[in-house]
Amino acid sequence: MTKWDGFKQELKMLGIEETQNASVYLVLPNKENVRWVFPSMSRRALKIGLMLYSPNTKKGKLYKRYLELMPVWFLKKIEQKHLTHLQWKKSPFIEKDQCPAFFMGNGGPHSKVTIQVQDSFGPCSYLKYTYSPVIVPLFQNESEALKELEQKAPALHISHVISQSKRGRASIFQTSSVKSLNGKTIFDLTKLHVDFLVQLFSATRSGSLCLGSVFYMETKEKLKRLPIKDRKWIDALFERCITSLLPENLPVSRIHGDFTPWNTVMEKGILSCFDWEYSRRECPPVFDAIHFLLQPNMLNPQKPLEQIWTTVKQNVQLLSYFEQVGYPAHFIRQYVMLYLMDIFLFYHSRSEEHSSQEQQLMNRWKALLHLLEEREKV
């Protein structure tokens, strides 16, 4: 069975079927390795569907722009082998004047299909489904985070839970959309990003970073699962970082957990944020801002680590954020090292097998950690 055949079987569960004389869709990069499926009935439908596609590379951004600008009739002609036809009359999740767009995920143990339900004005909601028992707790975690923030931080522009349900063996999670056709994905850390994170911190602040904190105890548990060589090194480095920061009585709070350009959107001076499945309580709040700056750069294997570190430590908005949440800026190296250890341990603990991209990322995180540890000795 091909990847496309398996995907079609899953869609039937949602009341979506491939059939002739139905709405035309563009399958990318191809049916053998399908990752995106975009409605192509009109240029507007395709443009809205492409909001699911947030490329990180220059090549990807140029390709997205090409898809947005080309007339649909021309795309259908030159991309004919990548076309299919879908209909969704039987789907309880998609209304009469709506259509779906699809993203298959990035691979790895937490990968799941995301469906963007859209109309002619923009995205209406997002539907995620999975057959994996490993992913179901992530849906529940996101639901709890969103409901908590609705109460504690109502001013934040975030998604809202629409439903959690099951159809057969599939678990389904649906949230509202915070996107519109005029929203922009911004790769620079701006004052709006900082203001959003400060609001999140202020609304959920709880306790301080200490040897008995949730963050400390969870990290020590994850360290036990590392191979002995990595465990000794990272455990010793973790203890040194924590010990150096204990006198500062640093506050902890809920974090988004995957605060990146592609999980945020900016429109009319307002920043909105979605995909809260990795949100955690009682963590160093600085992790979100550091992740925003580091992750896009770390995903580019050609970007030198020294250059990435220089970009982070000199970022004015990041330093401003540190000050606003009570984290002295001169400890920036320790904060980044804690972040690197945290994300490395997260990836290591969630699966025994890793995709090539995950392994590449983990290696780069360790390499940057080594680089910053050397700074400690200077």
Side-chain angles (χ1 to χ4, degrees):
M1 180 186 294
T2 66
K3 188 174 181 179
W4 178 250
D5 290 332
F7 177 55
K8 286 193 299 182
Q9 287 189 3
E10 293 179 359
L11 289 185
K12 281 187 178 181
M13 172 270 300
L14 297 171
I16 304 170
E17 295 181 303
E18 183 182 43
T19 180
Q20 292 297 319
N21 302 318
S23 298
V24 63
Y25 272 73
L26 180 64
V27 181
L28 295 176
N30 51 57
K31 288 188 177 181
E32 289 70 33
N33 187 33
V34 56
R35 291 195 67 196
W36 292 274
V37 185
F38 298 123
S40 304
M41 300 80 76
S42 68
R43 185 169 170 178
R44 187 173 183 85
L46 177 59
K47 186 174 182 180
I48 295 171
L50 285 166
M51 294 174 70
L52 262 182
Y53 180 39
S54 298
N56 186 46
T57 65
K58 183 180 291 186
K59 182 179 178 181
K61 291 174 183 177
L62 287 172
Y63 183 60
K64 179 177 181 177
R65 192 62 178 153
Y66 153 76
L67 292 174
E68 289 175 333
L69 294 177
M70 286 298 103
V72 168
W73 66 265
F74 182 73
L75 281 175
K76 289 178 182 177
K77 186 174 181 179
I78 64 171
E79 303 282 1
Q80 194 167 8
K81 64 180 180 179
H82 295 155
L83 297 181
T84 190
H85 295 82
L86 299 176
Q87 66 92 2
W88 48 88
K89 292 179 181 177
K90 298 178 183 178
S91 177
F93 304 101
I94 306 169
E95 298 180 5
K96 183 178 180 181
D97 297 325
Q98 298 174 338
C99 68
F102 308 88
F103 173 49
M104 305 302 115
N106 290 315
H110 288 178
S111 185
K112 85 288 293 178
V113 176
T114 298
I115 302 176
Q116 176 178 276
V117 180
Q118 61 186 67
D119 59 19
S120 59
F121 299 101
C124 304
S125 67
Y126 288 89
L127 195 75
K128 293 185 276 195
Y129 73 84
T130 185
Y131 290 91
S132 169
V134 174
I135 296 176
V136 174
L138 297 179
F139 292 171
Q140 184 60 35
N141 186 62
E142 181 169 8
S143 176
E144 291 173 0
L146 292 175
K147 289 175 180 178
E148 177 187 331
L149 293 175
E150 283 181 21
Q151 298 295 320
K152 293 184 176 180
L156 288 180
H157 286 257
I158 58 175
S159 307
H160 300 287
V161 179
I162 295 177
S163 66
Q164 282 180 272
S165 59
K166 287 187 72 71
R167 283 178 71 87
R169 295 183 297 107
S171 296
I172 303 166
F173 183 59
Q174 189 172 19
T175 59
S176 63
S177 171
V178 294
K179 294 183 178 181
S180 79
L181 196 52
N182 297 319
K184 302 294 182 183
T185 298
I186 306 296
F187 281 78
D188 294 324
L189 185 69
T190 70
K191 186 177 183 300
L192 286 177
H193 293 88
V194 169
D195 290 345
F196 182 97
L197 292 176
V198 169
Q199 286 185 66
L200 174 62
F201 164 76
S202 300
T204 62
R205 177 176 178 171
S206 176
S208 59
L209 187 64
C210 62
L211 298 184
S213 64
V214 171
F215 170 72
Y216 179 85
M217 300 304 292
E218 288 182 347
T219 301
K220 297 296 282 187
E221 282 300 312
K222 291 175 186 174
L223 280 164
K224 294 176 182 178
R225 304 172 205 169
L226 285 179
I228 185 66
K229 183 179 179 181
D230 283 341
R231 182 166 72 245
K232 286 184 175 181
W233 165 54
I234 294 179
D235 191 14
L237 185 57
F238 176 72
E239 288 293 340
R240 290 204 303 274
C241 284
I242 289 291
T243 302
S244 68
L245 295 173
L246 284 178
E248 304 301 319
N249 196 31
L250 300 173
V252 292
S253 67
R254 178 178 282 281
I255 63 172
H256 178 277
D258 194 16
F259 192 75
T260 56
W262 44 89
N263 283 336
T264 57
V265 63
M266 192 181 296
E267 182 181 1
K268 296 180 180 178
I270 296 173
L271 185 84
S272 302
C273 186
F274 46 93
D275 279 352
W276 291 76
E277 59 192 38
Y278 295 131
S279 182
R280 290 185 289 161
R281 295 188 180 96
E282 298 183 34
C283 285
V286 294
F287 282 3
D288 275 339
I290 292 170
H291 185 66
F292 187 94
L293 291 171
L294 273 183
Q295 191 71 345
N297 287 297
M298 297 298 278
L299 284 167
N300 180 1
Q302 306 305 317
K303 201 73 172 286
L305 297 177
E306 186 71 57
Q307 183 181 341
I308 294 174
W309 166 235
T310 300
T311 299
V312 170
K313 70 181 181 180
Q314 294 179 353
N315 189 281
V316 175
Q317 292 296 341
L318 180 65
L319 299 179
S320 170
Y321 175 62
F322 287 168
E323 181 181 354
Q324 293 182 66
V325 296
Y327 274 61
H330 60 272
F331 286 110
I332 185 171
R333 184 180 54 79
Q334 286 93 327
Y335 306 152
V336 174
M337 286 197 295
L338 281 179
Y339 159 81
L340 290 168
M341 288 184 273
D342 183 71
I343 195 166
F344 177 82
L345 288 169
F346 169 69
Y347 269 65
H348 182 272
S349 64
R350 74 178 185 176
S351 176
E352 293 182 0
E353 297 182 3
H354 302 98
S355 67
S356 58
Q357 184 186 58
E358 287 176 326
Q359 192 59 59
Q360 184 181 70
L361 263 175
M362 292 171 72
N363 291 340
R364 279 173 65 77
W365 289 327
K366 283 174 65 175
L368 181 55
L369 196 55
H370 275 295
L371 186 151
L372 295 182
E373 185 182 26
E374 288 303 310
R375 296 291 188 277
E376 182 183 33
K377 300 173 183 177
V378 175

